[in-house]
mmCIF file of all heavy atoms in Angstrom:
data_model
loop_
_atom_site.group_PDB
_atom_site.id
_atom_site.type_symbol
_atom_site.label_atom_id
_atom_site.label_comp_id
_atom_site.label_asym_id
_atom_site.label_seq_id
_atom_site.Cartn_x
_atom_site.Cartn_y
_atom_site.Cartn_z
ATOM 1 N N GLN A 1 121.860 66.311 114.207
ATOM 2 C CA GLN A 1 122.401 67.220 115.218
ATOM 3 C C GLN A 1 123.702 67.877 114.728
ATOM 4 O O GLN A 1 123.915 69.066 114.945
ATOM 5 C CB GLN A 1 122.647 66.454 116.528
ATOM 6 C CG GLN A 1 121.349 65.993 117.195
ATOM 7 C CD GLN A 1 121.580 64.986 118.294
ATOM 8 O OE1 GLN A 1 122.666 64.445 118.445
ATOM 9 N NE2 GLN A 1 120.538 64.691 119.065
ATOM 10 N N GLN A 2 124.533 67.104 114.052
ATOM 11 C CA GLN A 2 125.791 67.659 113.545
ATOM 12 C C GLN A 2 125.540 68.666 112.429
ATOM 13 O O GLN A 2 126.200 69.730 112.365
ATOM 14 C CB GLN A 2 126.685 66.518 113.022
ATOM 15 C CG GLN A 2 128.070 66.950 112.581
ATOM 16 C CD GLN A 2 128.892 67.588 113.673
ATOM 17 O OE1 GLN A 2 128.706 67.263 114.835
ATOM 18 N NE2 GLN A 2 129.756 68.517 113.329
ATOM 19 N N LEU A 3 124.588 68.388 111.556
ATOM 20 C CA LEU A 3 124.230 69.323 110.486
ATOM 21 C C LEU A 3 123.683 70.642 111.077
ATOM 22 O O LEU A 3 124.032 71.730 110.583
ATOM 23 C CB LEU A 3 123.185 68.706 109.563
ATOM 24 C CG LEU A 3 123.695 67.620 108.607
ATOM 25 C CD1 LEU A 3 122.528 66.844 107.997
ATOM 26 C CD2 LEU A 3 124.564 68.241 107.496
ATOM 27 N N LEU A 4 122.886 70.540 112.118
ATOM 28 C CA LEU A 4 122.363 71.761 112.757
ATOM 29 C C LEU A 4 123.507 72.556 113.372
ATOM 30 O O LEU A 4 123.528 73.788 113.250
ATOM 31 C CB LEU A 4 121.328 71.400 113.823
ATOM 32 C CG LEU A 4 120.748 72.593 114.568
ATOM 33 C CD1 LEU A 4 119.936 73.493 113.639
ATOM 34 C CD2 LEU A 4 119.872 72.128 115.749
ATOM 35 N N HIS A 5 124.420 71.882 114.023
ATOM 36 C CA HIS A 5 125.548 72.584 114.643
ATOM 37 C C HIS A 5 126.349 73.364 113.596
ATOM 38 O O HIS A 5 126.680 74.529 113.823
ATOM 39 C CB HIS A 5 126.455 71.546 115.351
ATOM 40 C CG HIS A 5 127.699 72.144 115.930
ATOM 41 N ND1 HIS A 5 127.708 72.896 117.081
ATOM 42 C CD2 HIS A 5 129.002 72.098 115.499
ATOM 43 C CE1 HIS A 5 128.947 73.287 117.340
ATOM 44 N NE2 HIS A 5 129.738 72.816 116.399
ATOM 45 N N ARG A 6 126.613 72.730 112.474
ATOM 46 C CA ARG A 6 127.388 73.399 111.417
ATOM 47 C C ARG A 6 126.590 74.548 110.815
ATOM 48 O O ARG A 6 127.131 75.635 110.545
ATOM 49 C CB ARG A 6 127.780 72.383 110.322
ATOM 50 C CG ARG A 6 128.794 71.369 110.746
ATOM 51 C CD ARG A 6 129.600 70.851 109.559
ATOM 52 N NE ARG A 6 128.760 70.261 108.529
ATOM 53 C CZ ARG A 6 128.527 68.972 108.414
ATOM 54 N NH1 ARG A 6 129.022 68.109 109.262
ATOM 55 N NH2 ARG A 6 127.782 68.502 107.430
ATOM 56 N N ALA A 7 125.297 74.322 110.600
ATOM 57 C CA ALA A 7 124.456 75.367 110.010
ATOM 58 C C ALA A 7 124.397 76.587 110.925
ATOM 59 O O ALA A 7 124.525 77.723 110.452
ATOM 60 C CB ALA A 7 123.049 74.822 109.754
ATOM 61 N N LYS A 8 124.175 76.380 112.209
ATOM 62 C CA LYS A 8 124.082 77.498 113.152
ATOM 63 C C LYS A 8 125.389 78.267 113.227
ATOM 64 O O LYS A 8 125.403 79.511 113.369
ATOM 65 C CB LYS A 8 123.676 76.986 114.517
ATOM 66 C CG LYS A 8 122.229 76.503 114.567
ATOM 67 C CD LYS A 8 121.845 75.905 115.916
ATOM 68 C CE LYS A 8 121.592 76.986 116.933
ATOM 69 N NZ LYS A 8 121.011 76.415 118.176
ATOM 70 N N LYS A 9 126.503 77.573 113.093
ATOM 71 C CA LYS A 9 127.811 78.253 113.102
ATOM 72 C C LYS A 9 127.968 79.162 111.904
ATOM 73 O O LYS A 9 128.403 80.297 112.022
ATOM 74 C CB LYS A 9 128.938 77.207 113.124
ATOM 75 C CG LYS A 9 130.328 77.810 113.273
ATOM 76 C CD LYS A 9 131.371 76.719 113.377
ATOM 77 C CE LYS A 9 132.763 77.329 113.619
ATOM 78 N NZ LYS A 9 133.167 78.276 112.572
ATOM 79 N N HIS A 10 127.561 78.668 110.730
ATOM 80 C CA HIS A 10 127.660 79.499 109.517
ATOM 81 C C HIS A 10 126.739 80.714 109.614
ATOM 82 O O HIS A 10 127.124 81.821 109.254
ATOM 83 C CB HIS A 10 127.280 78.663 108.291
ATOM 84 C CG HIS A 10 128.356 77.732 107.835
ATOM 85 N ND1 HIS A 10 129.623 78.137 107.514
ATOM 86 C CD2 HIS A 10 128.328 76.368 107.644
ATOM 87 C CE1 HIS A 10 130.355 77.099 107.119
ATOM 88 N NE2 HIS A 10 129.600 76.014 107.203
ATOM 89 N N VAL A 11 125.498 80.484 110.049
ATOM 90 C CA VAL A 11 124.525 81.589 110.130
ATOM 91 C C VAL A 11 124.956 82.595 111.187
ATOM 92 O O VAL A 11 124.797 83.813 111.028
ATOM 93 C CB VAL A 11 123.129 81.037 110.444
ATOM 94 C CG1 VAL A 11 122.154 82.183 110.765
ATOM 95 C CG2 VAL A 11 122.610 80.223 109.268
ATOM 96 N N ALA A 12 125.568 82.117 112.274
ATOM 97 C CA ALA A 12 126.003 83.012 113.358
ATOM 98 C C ALA A 12 127.190 83.874 112.961
ATOM 99 O O ALA A 12 127.504 84.852 113.641
ATOM 100 C CB ALA A 12 126.359 82.197 114.596
ATOM 101 N N ASP A 13 127.834 83.542 111.843
ATOM 102 C CA ASP A 13 128.970 84.359 111.370
ATOM 103 C C ASP A 13 128.501 85.757 110.961
ATOM 104 O O ASP A 13 129.311 86.682 110.881
ATOM 105 C CB ASP A 13 129.674 83.684 110.183
ATOM 106 C CG ASP A 13 130.476 82.480 110.625
ATOM 107 O OD1 ASP A 13 130.759 82.384 111.835
ATOM 108 O OD2 ASP A 13 130.837 81.650 109.771
ATOM 109 N N GLY A 14 127.212 85.886 110.652
ATOM 110 C CA GLY A 14 126.685 87.221 110.331
ATOM 111 C C GLY A 14 126.422 87.998 111.584
ATOM 112 O O GLY A 14 126.395 87.474 112.691
ATOM 113 N N LYS A 15 126.206 89.310 111.433
ATOM 114 C CA LYS A 15 125.973 90.145 112.621
ATOM 115 C C LYS A 15 124.641 89.792 113.257
ATOM 116 O O LYS A 15 123.670 89.491 112.590
ATOM 117 C CB LYS A 15 125.964 91.628 112.204
ATOM 118 C CG LYS A 15 127.331 92.199 111.959
ATOM 119 C CD LYS A 15 127.228 93.666 111.647
ATOM 120 C CE LYS A 15 128.605 94.318 111.584
ATOM 121 N NZ LYS A 15 129.274 94.378 112.861
ATOM 122 N N ALA A 16 124.608 89.841 114.593
ATOM 123 C CA ALA A 16 123.379 89.543 115.322
ATOM 124 C C ALA A 16 122.320 90.603 115.009
ATOM 125 O O ALA A 16 122.595 91.799 115.007
ATOM 126 C CB ALA A 16 123.652 89.522 116.816
ATOM 127 N N ARG A 17 121.117 90.115 114.737
ATOM 128 C CA ARG A 17 120.023 91.012 114.336
ATOM 129 C C ARG A 17 119.331 91.551 115.584
ATOM 130 O O ARG A 17 119.161 90.844 116.577
ATOM 131 C CB ARG A 17 119.050 90.211 113.479
ATOM 132 C CG ARG A 17 117.771 90.857 113.088
ATOM 133 C CD ARG A 17 117.071 89.965 112.092
ATOM 134 N NE ARG A 17 115.722 90.397 111.779
ATOM 135 C CZ ARG A 17 114.636 89.847 112.308
ATOM 136 N NH1 ARG A 17 114.744 88.866 113.181
ATOM 137 N NH2 ARG A 17 113.424 90.284 111.961
ATOM 138 N N THR A 18 118.927 92.802 115.532
ATOM 139 C CA THR A 18 118.169 93.421 116.627
ATOM 140 C C THR A 18 116.694 93.350 116.286
ATOM 141 O O THR A 18 116.277 93.822 115.226
ATOM 142 C CB THR A 18 118.604 94.869 116.835
ATOM 143 O OG1 THR A 18 119.975 94.910 117.182
ATOM 144 C CG2 THR A 18 117.788 95.522 117.929
ATOM 145 N N GLU A 19 115.903 92.732 117.164
ATOM 146 C CA GLU A 19 114.464 92.640 116.911
ATOM 147 C C GLU A 19 113.797 93.962 117.208
ATOM 148 O O GLU A 19 114.042 94.601 118.243
ATOM 149 C CB GLU A 19 113.863 91.540 117.785
ATOM 150 C CG GLU A 19 114.264 90.152 117.318
ATOM 151 C CD GLU A 19 113.265 89.103 117.765
ATOM 152 O OE1 GLU A 19 112.058 89.290 117.565
ATOM 153 O OE2 GLU A 19 113.730 88.106 118.301
ATOM 154 N N ILE A 20 112.921 94.396 116.318
ATOM 155 C CA ILE A 20 112.224 95.669 116.480
ATOM 156 C C ILE A 20 110.777 95.507 116.050
ATOM 157 O O ILE A 20 110.446 94.640 115.246
ATOM 158 C CB ILE A 20 112.864 96.798 115.658
ATOM 159 C CG1 ILE A 20 112.991 96.368 114.195
ATOM 160 C CG2 ILE A 20 114.223 97.160 116.217
ATOM 161 C CD1 ILE A 20 113.563 97.429 113.327
ATOM 162 N N ASP A 21 109.875 96.353 116.595
ATOM 163 C CA ASP A 21 108.487 96.289 116.225
ATOM 164 C C ASP A 21 108.210 97.227 115.051
ATOM 165 O O ASP A 21 109.091 97.924 114.564
ATOM 166 C CB ASP A 21 107.585 96.625 117.424
ATOM 167 C CG ASP A 21 107.853 98.029 117.981
ATOM 168 O OD1 ASP A 21 108.376 98.896 117.245
ATOM 169 O OD2 ASP A 21 107.529 98.241 119.171
ATOM 170 N N GLN A 22 106.960 97.214 114.583
ATOM 171 C CA GLN A 22 106.577 97.999 113.407
ATOM 172 C C GLN A 22 106.836 99.482 113.597
ATOM 173 O O GLN A 22 107.308 100.164 112.693
ATOM 174 C CB GLN A 22 105.095 97.752 113.101
ATOM 175 C CG GLN A 22 104.582 98.406 111.823
ATOM 176 C CD GLN A 22 104.894 97.590 110.575
ATOM 177 O OE1 GLN A 22 105.059 96.383 110.656
ATOM 178 N NE2 GLN A 22 104.978 98.247 109.443
ATOM 179 N N ALA A 23 106.538 100.016 114.780
ATOM 180 C CA ALA A 23 106.714 101.434 115.034
ATOM 181 C C ALA A 23 108.188 101.809 114.989
ATOM 182 O O ALA A 23 108.592 102.826 114.420
ATOM 183 C CB ALA A 23 106.115 101.816 116.384
ATOM 184 N N ALA A 24 109.032 100.964 115.610
ATOM 185 C CA ALA A 24 110.464 101.219 115.596
ATOM 186 C C ALA A 24 111.021 101.119 114.182
ATOM 187 O O ALA A 24 111.898 101.901 113.787
ATOM 188 C CB ALA A 24 111.197 100.249 116.515
ATOM 189 N N ALA A 25 110.501 100.162 113.420
ATOM 190 C CA ALA A 25 110.950 99.996 112.030
ATOM 191 C C ALA A 25 110.661 101.259 111.228
ATOM 192 O O ALA A 25 111.482 101.715 110.433
ATOM 193 C CB ALA A 25 110.268 98.809 111.409
ATOM 194 N N ARG A 26 109.482 101.831 111.438
ATOM 195 C CA ARG A 26 109.119 103.038 110.724
ATOM 196 C C ARG A 26 110.069 104.201 111.070
ATOM 197 O O ARG A 26 110.518 104.939 110.209
ATOM 198 C CB ARG A 26 107.667 103.433 111.018
ATOM 199 C CG ARG A 26 107.227 104.677 110.242
ATOM 200 C CD ARG A 26 105.803 105.067 110.535
ATOM 201 N NE ARG A 26 105.437 106.284 109.835
ATOM 202 C CZ ARG A 26 104.977 106.309 108.582
ATOM 203 N NH1 ARG A 26 104.835 105.198 107.900
ATOM 204 N NH2 ARG A 26 104.673 107.450 107.990
ATOM 205 N N ARG A 27 110.386 104.327 112.370
ATOM 206 C CA ARG A 27 111.297 105.391 112.783
ATOM 207 C C ARG A 27 112.680 105.209 112.144
ATOM 208 O O ARG A 27 113.304 106.193 111.704
ATOM 209 C CB ARG A 27 111.432 105.418 114.307
ATOM 210 C CG ARG A 27 110.159 105.899 115.024
ATOM 211 C CD ARG A 27 110.444 106.222 116.481
ATOM 212 N NE ARG A 27 110.928 105.057 117.225
ATOM 213 C CZ ARG A 27 110.123 104.185 117.847
ATOM 214 N NH1 ARG A 27 108.792 104.347 117.775
ATOM 215 N NH2 ARG A 27 110.634 103.183 118.535
ATOM 216 N N ILE A 28 113.153 103.987 112.099
ATOM 217 C CA ILE A 28 114.450 103.719 111.495
ATOM 218 C C ILE A 28 114.447 104.076 110.019
ATOM 219 O O ILE A 28 115.374 104.697 109.512
ATOM 220 C CB ILE A 28 114.836 102.232 111.696
ATOM 221 C CG1 ILE A 28 115.149 101.990 113.171
ATOM 222 C CG2 ILE A 28 116.049 101.844 110.830
ATOM 223 C CD1 ILE A 28 115.250 100.525 113.544
ATOM 224 N N VAL A 29 113.388 103.655 109.324
ATOM 225 C CA VAL A 29 113.302 103.960 107.881
ATOM 226 C C VAL A 29 113.219 105.460 107.661
ATOM 227 O O VAL A 29 113.869 106.000 106.736
ATOM 228 C CB VAL A 29 112.098 103.219 107.253
ATOM 229 C CG1 VAL A 29 111.904 103.682 105.813
ATOM 230 C CG2 VAL A 29 112.326 101.707 107.291
ATOM 231 N N GLU A 30 112.418 106.158 108.460
ATOM 232 C CA GLU A 30 112.308 107.601 108.293
ATOM 233 C C GLU A 30 113.647 108.284 108.514
ATOM 234 O O GLU A 30 114.026 109.197 107.742
ATOM 235 C CB GLU A 30 111.272 108.155 109.286
ATOM 236 C CG GLU A 30 109.833 107.785 108.910
ATOM 237 C CD GLU A 30 108.836 108.224 109.970
ATOM 238 O OE1 GLU A 30 109.271 108.563 111.087
ATOM 239 O OE2 GLU A 30 107.618 108.249 109.685
ATOM 240 N N GLU A 31 114.361 107.877 109.541
ATOM 241 C CA GLU A 31 115.680 108.477 109.783
ATOM 242 C C GLU A 31 116.661 108.154 108.666
ATOM 243 O O GLU A 31 117.414 109.023 108.228
ATOM 244 C CB GLU A 31 116.218 107.964 111.134
ATOM 245 C CG GLU A 31 117.493 108.662 111.575
ATOM 246 C CD GLU A 31 117.964 108.194 112.959
ATOM 247 O OE1 GLU A 31 117.339 107.277 113.530
ATOM 248 O OE2 GLU A 31 118.977 108.728 113.438
ATOM 249 N N PHE A 32 116.587 106.929 108.177
ATOM 250 C CA PHE A 32 117.445 106.500 107.097
ATOM 251 C C PHE A 32 117.160 107.312 105.824
ATOM 252 O O PHE A 32 118.104 107.804 105.145
ATOM 253 C CB PHE A 32 117.233 105.015 106.825
ATOM 254 C CG PHE A 32 117.938 104.460 105.616
ATOM 255 C CD1 PHE A 32 119.276 104.133 105.661
ATOM 256 C CD2 PHE A 32 117.249 104.263 104.431
ATOM 257 C CE1 PHE A 32 119.926 103.644 104.549
ATOM 258 C CE2 PHE A 32 117.882 103.759 103.311
ATOM 259 C CZ PHE A 32 119.221 103.454 103.381
ATOM 260 N N LEU A 33 115.894 107.475 105.483
ATOM 261 C CA LEU A 33 115.537 108.216 104.266
ATOM 262 C C LEU A 33 115.899 109.680 104.391
ATOM 263 O O LEU A 33 116.353 110.295 103.417
ATOM 264 C CB LEU A 33 114.014 108.076 104.026
ATOM 265 C CG LEU A 33 113.550 106.719 103.513
ATOM 266 C CD1 LEU A 33 112.043 106.648 103.476
ATOM 267 C CD2 LEU A 33 114.143 106.416 102.135
ATOM 268 N N ALA A 34 115.716 110.270 105.571
ATOM 269 C CA ALA A 34 116.105 111.662 105.766
ATOM 270 C C ALA A 34 117.598 111.837 105.546
ATOM 271 O O ALA A 34 118.055 112.806 104.911
ATOM 272 C CB ALA A 34 115.703 112.132 107.166
ATOM 273 N N ALA A 35 118.396 110.884 106.051
ATOM 274 C CA ALA A 35 119.840 110.956 105.868
ATOM 275 C C ALA A 35 120.212 110.770 104.396
ATOM 276 O O ALA A 35 121.083 111.475 103.857
ATOM 277 C CB ALA A 35 120.521 109.904 106.734
ATOM 278 N N ALA A 36 119.547 109.819 103.712
ATOM 279 C CA ALA A 36 119.860 109.545 102.321
ATOM 280 C C ALA A 36 119.494 110.712 101.409
ATOM 281 O O ALA A 36 120.149 110.963 100.406
ATOM 282 C CB ALA A 36 119.146 108.267 101.861
ATOM 283 N N ALA A 37 118.419 111.432 101.781
ATOM 284 C CA ALA A 37 117.938 112.543 100.953
ATOM 285 C C ALA A 37 118.639 113.872 101.286
ATOM 286 O O ALA A 37 118.397 114.868 100.610
ATOM 287 C CB ALA A 37 116.441 112.702 101.106
ATOM 288 N N SER A 38 119.500 113.856 102.278
ATOM 289 C CA SER A 38 120.132 115.107 102.718
ATOM 290 C C SER A 38 121.173 115.626 101.729
ATOM 291 O O SER A 38 121.542 116.801 101.789
ATOM 292 C CB SER A 38 120.802 114.905 104.091
ATOM 293 O OG SER A 38 121.942 114.065 103.970
ATOM 294 N N GLY A 39 121.627 114.733 100.873
ATOM 295 C CA GLY A 39 122.676 115.140 99.926
ATOM 296 C C GLY A 39 124.070 115.083 100.515
ATOM 297 O O GLY A 39 125.050 115.375 99.824
ATOM 298 N N ARG A 40 124.189 114.676 101.782
ATOM 299 C CA ARG A 40 125.486 114.565 102.432
ATOM 300 C C ARG A 40 125.692 113.129 102.938
ATOM 301 O O ARG A 40 124.732 112.448 103.254
ATOM 302 C CB ARG A 40 125.571 115.548 103.608
ATOM 303 C CG ARG A 40 125.449 117.018 103.182
ATOM 304 C CD ARG A 40 125.513 117.967 104.368
ATOM 305 N NE ARG A 40 124.403 117.783 105.278
ATOM 306 C CZ ARG A 40 124.515 117.435 106.545
ATOM 307 N NH1 ARG A 40 125.708 117.134 107.044
ATOM 308 N NH2 ARG A 40 123.444 117.277 107.306
ATOM 309 N N ILE A 41 126.948 112.705 102.986
ATOM 310 C CA ILE A 41 127.204 111.330 103.412
ATOM 311 C C ILE A 41 127.312 111.217 104.932
ATOM 312 O O ILE A 41 127.089 110.140 105.489
ATOM 313 C CB ILE A 41 128.461 110.740 102.758
ATOM 314 C CG1 ILE A 41 129.724 111.433 103.259
ATOM 315 C CG2 ILE A 41 128.355 110.798 101.245
ATOM 316 C CD1 ILE A 41 131.001 110.704 102.851
ATOM 317 N N GLU A 42 127.626 112.329 105.621
ATOM 318 C CA GLU A 42 127.861 112.235 107.080
ATOM 319 C C GLU A 42 126.664 111.688 107.846
ATOM 320 O O GLU A 42 126.839 110.802 108.701
ATOM 321 C CB GLU A 42 128.278 113.593 107.634
ATOM 322 C CG GLU A 42 129.628 114.089 107.185
ATOM 323 C CD GLU A 42 129.586 114.741 105.793
ATOM 324 O OE1 GLU A 42 128.455 114.900 105.253
ATOM 325 O OE2 GLU A 42 130.637 115.055 105.261
ATOM 326 N N PRO A 43 125.427 112.161 107.584
ATOM 327 C CA PRO A 43 124.290 111.595 108.320
ATOM 328 C C PRO A 43 124.124 110.090 108.088
ATOM 329 O O PRO A 43 123.729 109.373 109.028
ATOM 330 C CB PRO A 43 123.090 112.372 107.766
ATOM 331 C CG PRO A 43 123.675 113.632 107.247
ATOM 332 C CD PRO A 43 125.007 113.256 106.685
ATOM 333 N N LEU A 44 124.430 109.633 106.885
ATOM 334 C CA LEU A 44 124.324 108.201 106.604
ATOM 335 C C LEU A 44 125.423 107.411 107.320
ATOM 336 O O LEU A 44 125.157 106.347 107.877
ATOM 337 C CB LEU A 44 124.392 107.957 105.099
ATOM 338 C CG LEU A 44 123.108 108.194 104.317
ATOM 339 C CD1 LEU A 44 123.390 108.250 102.819
ATOM 340 C CD2 LEU A 44 122.090 107.071 104.608
ATOM 341 N N VAL A 45 126.625 107.941 107.274
ATOM 342 C CA VAL A 45 127.736 107.270 107.930
ATOM 343 C C VAL A 45 127.440 107.032 109.415
ATOM 344 O O VAL A 45 127.761 105.986 109.963
ATOM 345 C CB VAL A 45 129.056 108.038 107.746
ATOM 346 C CG1 VAL A 45 130.172 107.462 108.606
ATOM 347 C CG2 VAL A 45 129.494 108.005 106.282
#
């Protein structure tokens, strides 16, 4: 129990993840790629 408590504390130090489905994942990737390919940093920021 103590090992689990310590482990969860360390893992929780990272940002909370947002759960998304396959369709949402595709939209995020498409938007990300469009921003990365734009040649400008503002869309990515």
Side-chain angles (χ1 to χ4, degrees):
Q1 292 166 349
Q2 184 61 30
L3 286 166
L4 178 66
H5 175 75
R6 291 207 303 263
K8 290 176 77 170
K9 186 177 183 301
H10 284 304
V11 171
D13 287 343
K15 283 184 173 292
R17 173 172 171 259
T18 299
E19 288 203 49
I20 54 178
D21 59 23
Q22 185 82 26
R26 182 179 178 86
R27 289 194 299 272
I28 290 168
V29 172
E30 287 175 346
E31 187 176 3
F32 173 80
L33 288 172
S38 70
R40 298 180 295 119
I41 68 168
E42 293 81 7
L44 279 166
V45 170

